[in-house]
Amino acid sequence: GDSNQLKWGELKGEKAIQQVVKATYMEITKWKKNLFTLPRGKAGVHFINEVARLIFLFTDQTAWSELSLSMIHVFIPLMLQKPSANSKAKNNAKFLAERLAKW
């Protein structure tokens, strides 16, 4: 596939997507480790499915191959970031579902 045809949300083209992913990654590396355990249920399954999809995009030599591994490095901490220091598992599952819908 043509990397200029890639679309992710409002972003178009591999370079535009890569810039946002790289900037996000650089910001995430400054975060204090604050991840919750992956919840069971639908949200957890959807999370695993998305990680598997991103890996597949890399291994299957798609137009997304150059971006997919970088996207995993951003996806995991964005999805599993605790909403608060004392967040409960039930709330974490709700927040994960909402974040997945926005991804």
Side-chain angles (χ1 to χ4, degrees):
D2 183 3
S3 64
N4 289 324
Q5 300 300 319
L6 297 179
K7 261 188 88 182
W8 189 48
E10 299 293 315
L11 300 172
K12 292 182 178 125
E14 183 179 344
K15 283 190 172 85
I17 297 167
Q18 185 66 39
Q19 282 181 318
V20 170
V21 170
K22 186 174 182 178
T24 304
Y25 179 76
M26 295 308 291
E27 184 64 30
I28 287 171
T29 60
K30 299 173 193 167
W31 292 358
K32 187 177 89 180
K33 188 171 182 246
N34 187 28
L35 305 179
F36 57 76
T37 303
L38 183 63
R40 297 177 183 190
K42 281 185 185 177
V45 170
H46 290 152
F47 175 89
I48 294 297
N49 288 344
E50 180 60 13
V51 171
R53 187 183 75 82
L54 291 169
I55 292 169
F56 174 79
L57 290 174
F58 174 76
T59 60
D60 202 39
Q61 296 300 306
T62 68
W64 288 91
S65 292
E66 296 293 320
L67 293 167
S68 57
L69 291 182
S70 297
M71 291 176 80
I72 290 171
H73 287 283
V74 169
F75 176 76
I76 293 172
L78 284 178
M79 294 298 119
L80 300 181
Q81 180 75 9
K82 285 185 181 178
S84 67
N86 301 322
S87 64
K88 304 283 184 248
K90 185 174 80 170
N91 291 336
N92 292 344
K94 181 179 75 97
F95 281 106
L96 177 57
E98 291 170 359
R99 292 170 183 170
L100 285 165
K102 293 175 182 175
W103 175 259

